[in-house]
Amino acid sequence: MGIHDGHREKMRQRFLSGGLDHFADHEALELLLYYAIPRRDTNPIAHALMERYGSLPAVLAAPAEDLEKVDGIGENAAVLLKLVPQLYRKARLAEAEQETVLNSSERAGAYLLERFVGETHEVVYALYLDRKGKLIACRHLGEGGISSAGLDIRRLLEQALLTSASAVILSHNHPSGVALPSPDDYVATDRAKSALQSIGVQLADHIIVADNDFVSMADSGYLL
């Protein structure tokens, strides 16, 4: 048994018996890193991560290439740190989509805030709804913004037809932190509305997400 094996086993048993509720943030990181760094004391590495980023959420949101700048964090550990929150998010979204009704901007906005967690660059999604506003599918339409080049109208329509949607909510994020629509956002909204109307589908909203905030273009009166 190595010098750290006894401590590791105690930490594992502590977690198995009581979960993470009574773990300090650095202890939770220390435990997680056991599974990527098998032969090194991960306690000082966890402390170094907390000192560099300031909080557990900031550690888990950091880019993989930046995480690897911390002494002791190699590619495997960086991938693990990125994988855990993304796996949790994926599970949460899959669970939510089973019986999700998005018949108001508040409900749609809350769903999309969760969807965009951890996104550091512009991403475009479309939510496909049935007649009662129930979510049929959420589809990734592209990256790099919603300008004319960034919005894939063909895919938007294809997915509407494949899902037999009655309405669509278009959404993208502003990583800059400001959720107000830009001139490109208005142009993209008009293009999407016109294209969807041509196949008998309503563009119910275009929601812009930034940090913990969102703006509904339907609420603003633009899609009346």
Side-chain angles (χ1 to χ4, degrees):
M1 179 177 287
I3 189 170
H4 302 298
D5 289 348
H7 174 67
R8 288 188 173 209
E9 184 57 28
K10 287 179 181 178
M11 290 281 279
R12 278 192 284 263
Q13 291 305 319
R14 182 180 159 197
F15 165 70
L16 291 173
S17 63
L20 288 176
D21 288 348
H22 299 292
F23 277 64
D25 288 352
H26 75 274
E27 290 178 317
L29 280 175
E30 177 187 351
L31 176 63
L32 177 62
L33 291 171
Y34 290 170
Y35 300 96
I37 308 172
R39 295 182 179 82
R40 184 169 173 178
D41 183 2
T42 60
N43 181 275
I45 302 173
H47 277 289
L49 286 166
M50 293 296 294
E51 289 171 9
R52 181 177 179 87
Y53 298 106
S55 69
L56 182 57
V59 171
L60 298 176
E65 59 270 20
D66 196 65
L67 288 167
E68 291 185 46
K69 295 176 182 178
V70 176
D71 183 33
I73 298 293
E75 182 180 1
N76 287 346
V79 169
L80 182 63
L81 289 169
K82 298 303 298 178
L83 175 63
V84 168
Q86 291 292 322
L87 185 63
Y88 172 72
R89 172 174 167 266
K90 188 174 181 64
R92 282 278 303 273
L93 290 169
E95 182 179 54
E97 285 182 9
Q98 291 179 7
E99 285 295 335
T100 299
V101 177
L102 304 179
N103 56 3
S104 71
S105 60
E106 290 79 13
R107 287 186 174 188
Y111 174 86
L112 287 163
L113 285 174
E114 185 81 23
R115 170 67 66 173
F116 282 104
V117 166
E119 296 289 2
T120 57
H121 55 285
E122 290 193 51
V123 181
V124 183
Y125 286 106
L127 308 181
Y128 294 90
L129 312 177
D130 68 10
R131 292 180 182 178
K132 296 182 179 180
K134 182 179 176 181
L135 180 64
I136 302 169
C138 175
R139 294 289 184 261
H140 176 276
L141 293 187
E143 300 184 3
I146 201 160
S147 64
S148 295
L151 177 58
D152 189 339
I153 291 292
R154 180 177 178 179
R155 178 165 168 76
L156 175 70
L157 299 184
E158 284 178 348
Q159 293 301 311
L161 293 170
L162 285 171
T163 58
S164 299
S166 294
V168 172
I169 296 174
L170 190 63
S171 183
H172 74 288
N173 61 327
H174 285 179
S176 62
V178 179
L180 294 176
S182 68
D184 278 344
D185 296 340
Y186 287 106
V187 171
T189 301
D190 291 339
R191 290 180 66 228
K193 180 179 179 180
S194 177
L196 288 166
Q197 282 179 337
S198 72
I199 59 170
V201 177
Q202 176 194 10
L203 179 63
D205 207 343
H206 183 175
I207 293 178
I208 302 163
V209 173
D211 293 333
N212 294 316
D213 190 22
F214 67 89
V215 168
S216 160
M217 293 181 72
D219 285 354
S220 70
Y222 190 74
L223 285 170
L224 293 177

